[in-house]
């Protein structure tokens, strides 16, 4: 009976374990399905589409487009119209008449048009300058995109590196636990001291700490990638791991001179500096245009209305008035008394009667303006000289960077080969030491030393492997090649 109870309890326990396993597998499946896997191309596409820095650059580019269009529109004539109307009190002239009234309603309107015929070439040079500025804005946008692309690829490689290091750290925990188990058994059998057991436990703690730190580095690198993509930090993502064997098949020998020559024609930093230099060259011509006269053609239309305007509609004679006498004869000189009948002039008639037109040329010749033009030209030339120096500095910095990058790539390749050789040697040494440790010919300290050396060489080899890939991608960036994994 007791055996049957024990059997029943065992079956129930097995069922519980099975149910719990199914539940755990289901939860793991849900977690995996909720995790979004991001490839490098997807990370690049999202960064280019969502990154706020790129959006700011695009807005700046649109502003440059509007400035360029505005300078082209400046070549068109200007046309303005205005009107004015109001009641005036006191002695006020009646519009359209040589008369005054104590109160009047005056209305007038006019339209003017003008077209600049010549302005020292400033309009044309301003158009060219703003076109170059727009090209510089577009190049700046391309530079920001390229820089972000390199940052995304770099961070992606960091994630891959840290993930491999995290996997290696977990493997080191397993090795340390095996060592601890063996040390515990030896201690229980009296074949090891308490110090040996404590050292094995310390090895496990160290491995667990290293694993925690490695995972933290992975999480931090993934967070940085999310920030590039403007993604919610709470989103659960994982990166797609490419075939590492293909990644290591990269070119590691470059001629720095050839890379520099190519980079000078493709690198956005250089193109941006050269465009800005051309912008300042045009600014000199714009400033010099102020030395020349400005010739403008103008024309205008105008008319007016007043409620006090009157017109004579009829005349009658009512007697005469003596205005003097003829000298010598004494005969009276008289004039007839004419009584005029007046009436208000209609609104339409006044607009028609007072309508006027004008056309002409305006010539403005600069003679002296406190040396303002001279100062503007001098400042424009200095700005150009500064831009020329900036271009030279950009080329010098790029040359130094590329030379350093080629040296770094060569050094990274040598470091990887050395690290790989060290890893293989430590791996073989660990296998031999483990066999001797199992046979009792090596103490715990020697075995832990061999294990520590193996762990360190494995980490160094992984880091060196990805460092070669990263350095090679940097060269691709300067050559203007697409950066892919």
């Amino acid at each position: 009976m007791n055996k049957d109870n024990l059997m029943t309890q065992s079956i129930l326990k097995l069922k519980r374990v099975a149910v719990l396993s199914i539940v755990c597998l289901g939860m793991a499946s849900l977690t995996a399905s909720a995790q979004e896997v991001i490839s490098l191309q997807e990370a690049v596409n999202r960064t280019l589409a969502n990154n706020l820095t790129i959006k700011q650059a695009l807005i700046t580019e649109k502003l440059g487009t509007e400035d360029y269009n505005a300078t082209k529109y400046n070549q068109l004539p200007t046309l303005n119209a205005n009107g004015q109307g109001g009641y005036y009190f006191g002695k006020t002239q009646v519009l359209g008449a040589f008369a005054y009234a104590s109160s009047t309603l005056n209305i007038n309107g006019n339209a003017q048009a003008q077209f600049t015929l010549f302005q020292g070439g400033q309009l044309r040079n301003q158009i060219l300058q703003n076109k170059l500025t727009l090209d510089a804005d577009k190049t700046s946008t391309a530079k920001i995109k390229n820089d972000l692309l390199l940052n995304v690829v770099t961070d992606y490689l960091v994630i891959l590196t840290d993930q491999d290091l995290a996997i290696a750290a977990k493997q080191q925990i397993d090795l340390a636990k095996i060592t601890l188990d063996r040390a515990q058994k030896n201690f229980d059998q009296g074949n090891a001291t308490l110090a040996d057991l404590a050292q094995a436990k310390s090895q496990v703690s160290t491995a667990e700490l290293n694993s925690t730190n490695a995972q933290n580095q992975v999480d931090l690198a993934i967070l940085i990638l999310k920030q590039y993509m403007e993604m919610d930090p709470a989103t659960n993502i994982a990166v797609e791991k490419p075939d590492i064997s293909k990644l290591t098949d990269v070119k590691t020998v470059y001629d720095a001179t050839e890379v520099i020559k190519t980079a000078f024609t493709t690198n956005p930093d250089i193109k941006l500096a050269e465009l800005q230099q051309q912008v300042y060259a045009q600014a000199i011509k714009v400033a010099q245009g102020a030395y020349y006269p400005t010739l403008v053609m103008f024309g205008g239309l105008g008319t007016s209305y007043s409620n006090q305007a009157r017109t004579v509609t009829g005349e009658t004679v009512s007697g005469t008035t003596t205005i003097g006498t003829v000298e010598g004869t004494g005969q009276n000189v008289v004039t007839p008394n004419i009584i005029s009948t007046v009436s208000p002039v209609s609104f339409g008639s006044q607009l028609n009667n007072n309508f006027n037109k004008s056309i002409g040329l305006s010539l403005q010749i600069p003679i002296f303006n406190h040396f303002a033009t001279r100062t503007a030209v001098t400042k424009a030339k200095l700005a150009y000289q500064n831009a020329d120096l900036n271009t030279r500095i950009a080329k010098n910095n790029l040359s130094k960077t590329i030379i350093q990058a080629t040296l770094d790539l060569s050094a990274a390749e040598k470091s990887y080969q050395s690290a790989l050789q060290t890893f293989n040697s430590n791996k073989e040494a660990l296998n031999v030491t483990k066999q001797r440790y199992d046979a009792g010919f090596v103490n715990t300290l020697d075995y832990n030393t061999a294990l520590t050396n193996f762990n360190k060489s494995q980490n160094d080899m992984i880091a060196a492997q990805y460092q070669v890939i990263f350095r090679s991608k940097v060269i691709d960036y300067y050559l203007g090649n697409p950066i892919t994994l």
Side-chain angles (χ1 to χ4, degrees):
M1 186 67 178
N2 291 335
K3 291 182 178 179
D4 292 338
N5 291 335
L6 290 174
M7 180 65 68
T8 301
Q9 292 177 1
S10 298
I11 293 173
L12 290 174
K13 288 181 179 178
L14 288 174
K15 289 182 176 179
R16 293 191 189 100
V17 170
V19 171
L20 288 173
S21 299
I22 293 173
V23 172
C24 291
L25 288 174
M27 293 178 64
S29 177
L30 288 173
T31 302
S33 62
Q35 188 179 56
E36 184 179 4
V37 179
I38 303 291
S39 66
L40 175 61
Q41 189 59 51
E42 179 67 17
V44 168
N45 292 341
R46 292 193 181 190
T47 299
L48 295 178
N50 302 328
N51 190 270
L52 299 182
T53 304
I54 294 178
K55 291 182 177 181
Q56 281 186 324
L58 291 174
I59 291 176
T60 301
E61 191 176 315
K62 291 179 180 179
L63 290 172
T65 301
E66 293 303 316
D67 289 338
Y68 172 58
N69 290 335
T71 51
K72 290 196 297 182
Y73 299 150
N74 285 340
Q75 297 179 106
L76 301 176
T78 61
L79 177 62
N80 297 288
N82 60 75
Q84 181 178 335
Y87 278 99
Y88 298 86
F89 305 94
K91 188 176 181 180
T92 306
Q93 184 178 5
V94 178
L95 290 179
F98 295 101
Y100 291 88
S102 59
S103 63
T104 181
L105 170 63
N106 288 343
I107 299 175
N108 62 72
N110 57 76
Q112 305 88 26
Q114 67 177 32
F115 177 68
T116 301
L117 299 176
F118 179 75
Q119 197 177 9
Q122 286 183 313
L123 292 178
R124 177 179 177 277
N125 288 323
Q126 187 69 62
I127 293 173
L128 295 176
Q129 182 184 11
N130 284 359
K131 179 62 171 62
L132 290 170
T133 301
L134 176 58
D135 292 340
D137 291 337
K138 292 180 179 179
T139 303
S140 178
T141 302
K143 176 184 181 304
I144 292 173
K145 289 181 178 180
N146 281 6
D147 290 347
L148 281 172
L149 174 60
L150 181 61
N151 291 340
V152 168
V153 173
T154 301
D155 188 65
Y156 202 92
L157 288 172
V158 170
I159 293 174
L160 295 177
T161 304
D162 291 343
Q163 283 181 339
D164 283 356
L165 291 175
I167 293 172
K170 291 179 180 179
Q171 294 173 349
Q172 291 162 12
I173 292 177
D174 295 337
L175 290 175
K177 286 182 177 179
I178 293 173
T179 303
L180 175 60
D181 181 66
R182 186 178 293 110
Q184 183 67 53
K185 291 179 180 178
N186 289 336
F187 177 76
D188 294 340
Q189 295 173 1
N191 295 329
T193 64
L194 185 61
D196 293 333
L197 181 61
Q199 189 173 17
K201 290 180 178 179
S202 174
Q203 194 77 20
V204 173
S205 298
T206 301
E208 291 176 343
L209 176 61
N210 292 337
S211 177
T212 301
N213 291 336
Q215 187 58 48
N216 288 340
Q217 292 300 316
V218 173
D219 295 339
L220 177 59
I222 290 179
L223 176 60
I224 293 174
L225 182 62
K226 292 177 184 178
Q227 292 172 343
Y228 286 138
M229 297 186 293
E230 302 296 341
M231 182 179 288
D232 184 357
T235 304
N236 188 13
I237 68 170
V239 298
E240 183 180 80
K241 185 175 182 179
D243 186 356
I244 188 65
S245 62
K246 295 180 180 179
L247 292 181
T248 53
D249 186 19
V250 295
K251 183 178 179 180
T252 58
V253 178
Y254 288 91
D255 183 352
T257 302
E258 292 299 320
V259 176
I260 292 172
K261 182 179 178 180
T262 303
F264 278 176
T265 61
T266 61
N267 189 268
D269 289 346
I270 303 302
K271 293 174 67 176
L272 180 59
E274 290 176 342
L275 281 172
Q276 289 174 338
Q277 184 177 349
Q278 294 176 36
V279 169
Y280 286 113
Q282 281 300 127
I284 296 175
K285 296 179 180 179
V286 173
Q288 289 174 336
Y291 283 126
Y292 296 90
T294 299
L295 180 62
V296 177
M297 175 184 287
F298 66 87
L301 304 172
T303 188
S304 61
Y305 165 81
S306 174
N307 67 343
Q308 296 297 326
R310 298 291 185 266
T311 184
V312 178
T313 57
E315 294 180 341
T316 60
V317 179
S318 177
T320 60
T321 301
T322 302
I323 60 174
T325 59
V326 178
E327 186 178 355
T329 65
Q331 184 179 359
N332 292 331
V333 179
V334 298
T335 183
N337 295 325
I338 299 175
I339 301 176
S340 299
T341 303
V342 296
S343 61
V345 182
S346 67
F347 182 80
S349 296
Q350 286 195 55
L351 294 184
N352 184 59
N353 295 336
N354 297 333
F355 182 73
N356 60 85
K357 295 173 284 187
S358 64
I359 187 171
L361 295 174
S362 172
L363 180 63
Q364 181 178 359
I365 303 175
I367 297 176
F368 180 72
N369 58 357
H370 307 286
F371 299 106
T373 301
R374 176 181 175 277
T375 301
V377 172
T378 302
K379 291 175 66 176
K381 289 181 178 179
L382 291 174
Y384 172 77
Q385 292 176 13
N386 187 58
D388 178 63
L389 292 175
N390 286 337
T391 302
R392 296 184 188 181
I393 292 172
K395 289 183 177 181
N396 289 341
N397 290 339
L398 183 61
S399 299
K400 294 176 184 177
T401 302
I402 291 175
I403 292 172
Q404 185 64 50
T406 55
L407 293 176
D408 289 343
L409 176 58
S410 177
E413 170 64 17
K414 294 177 182 178
S415 296
Y416 170 67
Q417 295 299 331
S418 177
L420 181 61
Q421 183 178 357
T422 302
F423 168 74
N424 291 330
S425 298
N426 285 328
K427 182 179 180 180
E428 182 179 355
L430 178 62
N431 290 334
V432 173
T433 303
K434 181 178 179 301
Q435 293 175 3
R436 299 187 65 189
Y437 178 72
D438 292 340
F441 296 121
V442 174
N443 59 29
T444 303
L445 178 62
D446 292 336
Y447 177 76
N448 287 336
T449 300
L451 180 61
T452 300
N453 291 337
F454 169 77
N455 293 339
K456 182 179 183 303
S457 63
Q458 185 181 34
N459 292 342
D460 292 342
M461 185 268 295
I462 293 173
Q465 187 178 35
Y466 280 104
Q467 193 65 219
V468 173
I469 300 170
F470 167 70
R471 296 299 179 186
S472 177
K473 299 304 176 184
V474 170
I475 300 297
D476 282 338
Y477 169 76
Y478 289 121
L479 287 173
N481 298 330
I483 303 179
T484 58
L485 295 181

